[in-house]
Amino acid sequence: MSQTNNAGISNTNQNNNRKGGNNKNYQNRNNQQQGGQQHQGGQQQGGQQQHQHRNKHQNQQGQQQGQQQNKQGRGKTPLNVESFPINLSQQQVQQLQAFQQQSQQNQSAQFQSNFLPPATALYTPVINYFINLYNNFKSQSHQDILVSYDSFFKSCETYYPHCALPTIENLIPILGDKFEESSFTDRFFVLLYKEIYYRYYYALVFQPNINTCVESWQNYYQIFHTLLSANSPNDVEIDLPNAWLWDLVDEFVYQYHTFAKFKLKKQDVDFLSENPEIWDTTNVIRYLYYIIKKSQIFSANTNRFESSSEDFCSHPVYKMLGYYSVISLVRVQCLLGDYTLALKTLELIDMGKKAMYTYVTACHITLYYYLGFAYLMSRKYNEATKALNTILVSVASKSKSQNFQSDHNEKKTDKMYALLTICQALYPNKIDENVSNNLKEKFGDKLLRLQKGDLTVYEELYTFAAPRCIGPVPPYISGFNVTALDPHRLQLSLFLEEVKQQSLLTTIRSYITLYSTISIQKLAGLLQIDPEDLRVKLTCYKHKLFNVLGKGETKWNNQLDIDFYIDQDMIHIDNRLYAKETDSFINSILKFEGSLTPSYNWM
């Protein structure tokens, strides 16, 4: 199996049929060159009888193998559907044979974890959806593109549940004379389809092989380079719906996140040390910054209508891509554990009800998920509760639309309920009634255990709800199978340490809310701790009460509903919540006192 090295990286987008397989021989440049020549020869001579006879036999084996995988896949391929065999290259035939051998030896579990067999047939519905997607892309109709975009993904899930999608080389001949290689729109469509190809690959494989990662990175490089190298927005003759643009940037960060979590083999480490640019943290952040800068969304001219032809912000693709890159940058910063910078970056975004992030549900959920998580890890529990409550109310009010991202959005919503449960345990606050009922239904029993200070439940909910943090150091530098300095475990330990420091704070709060004044001696007796230790706990509680408020982060205010101060041995409590409710009740009485009093001066 040939692999990608320095000589092969530049050709990865031409040799797009190289999916998965065994990556032991990627250092062999001679095999690489031979594999590339065989692949090109297989494409050029695909219509010849020699290859047809050989590939038909392999196609039958591939279809049989696909049926054997139904137990592990998402469903069976529909029967009685017209299909056409794909002429596989010799390289793909070898992949298919290796896959079948591994399956027969009952060793397929580890083998399938980083490999997908190539598609062996083209189904008529998939062909129709693909042609429809291409025609709508050329027409640049947002609604039609979005419908065909979702339909194509659903058809792929139906007909290719256990294998990779057909490559673009298999599908271009279907378009016939419609496809013009010299057209910018057609060439960009090829790049977008390859992005869909790798996205689907990543969706089915937990940890793709090193070849697939390299090829996907190179494809993203070409997409971004095409957009960033444009001299004028008029040079980019494409228009995409917001959902597709969001998926493009979101998948870019997801694949980076997946690659950063890899457990690398020795040969993978050696290969990446020779190609350090592959999914490097610096390069990923740099591309996001370049897109934001190119979009000019924060530096566009005020009189945009006077210079719209030279303003990239006037182009909908650049405008929305830059906006979504800001949100994706926040996500990367949270994954790296830089929550302060993430919250600073979010200040660039208008958080109003009609902001642009509301255009796409997945973007809306992702933004508030990482916003709530950043607030939680920054010990701003009040702000985290507000953010999570806001998005959960919004999600509940929206009609559930069925698309290929519905399951992902539901899982993210469950994670936000888990984060809100942690916030409610550390910082009890009033939330929406429907959200509260759903929270009690999902995590009611865990909330009670959290309020009792059960650290195992804190760890369980954090592991379930928090994103898996990564380190900025590339895997080939940090080494392979290194877990001692796992960034996710480090963030978890810091979070649990914070919880331990607040272990008695919830109990202290439950007692002091019952009193207006109480002696330290009496409260220490109720808590069954030493009075001097109680003073330390009260000082810690007072410290935890204060958090930064406002975007400018210049104000320090008490965010809890209760406050106190110590005068010698007496604790004086100010219950702010009850005071506010009492004041509101009295003001309402005074306001409506006149209207409640009957008047008899009718004459």
Side-chain angles (χ1 to χ4, degrees), residues 246 249-250 253 288-289 291-292 297-298 319-335 342-343 345-351 355-371:
W246 164 252
V249 182
D250 182 64
V253 176
L288 293 176
Y289 271 115
I291 295 172
I292 296 171
I297 55 176
F298 301 120
K319 179 181 179 181
M320 297 310 300
L321 206 58
Y323 185 83
Y324 293 146
S325 294
V326 176
I327 299 175
S328 298
L329 185 61
V330 171
R331 177 181 175 183
V332 172
Q333 291 162 350
C334 286
L335 294 176
L343 295 176
T345 304
L346 280 173
E347 295 179 11
L348 300 172
I349 298 178
D350 177 20
M351 301 297 289
M356 291 190 291
Y357 60 77
T358 59
Y359 297 167
V360 180
T361 302
C363 174
H364 192 181
I365 293 175
T366 299
L367 171 62
Y368 273 86
Y369 169 73
Y370 285 100
L371 174 63

Side-chain angles (χ1 to χ4, degrees), residues 128-150 152 168 175 178-180 183-196 199 223 226-227 235-242 244-245 248 315 317:
N128 294 335
Y129 283 125
F130 175 78
I131 295 175
N132 191 31
L133 176 64
Y134 173 79
N135 292 334
N136 290 331
F137 178 80
K138 295 279 286 187
S139 66
Q140 298 187 2
S141 172
H142 273 201
Q143 188 60 33
D144 293 340
I145 294 175
L146 187 59
V147 172
S148 57
Y149 177 66
D150 288 337
F152 181 73
I168 191 63
L175 301 176
K178 293 182 180 180
F179 182 82
E180 300 177 3
S183 170
F184 175 87
T185 306
D186 288 0
R187 284 186 278 114
F188 200 80
F189 178 79
V190 170
L191 295 177
L192 291 177
Y193 178 82
K194 289 182 179 180
E195 192 275 333
I196 292 175
R199 191 195 315 173
I223 292 176
T226 301
L227 295 174
D235 297 339
V236 183
E237 301 173 351
I238 59 170
D239 200 2
L240 295 173
N242 295 330
W244 197 340
L245 292 172
L248 183 68
H315 197 297
V317 170

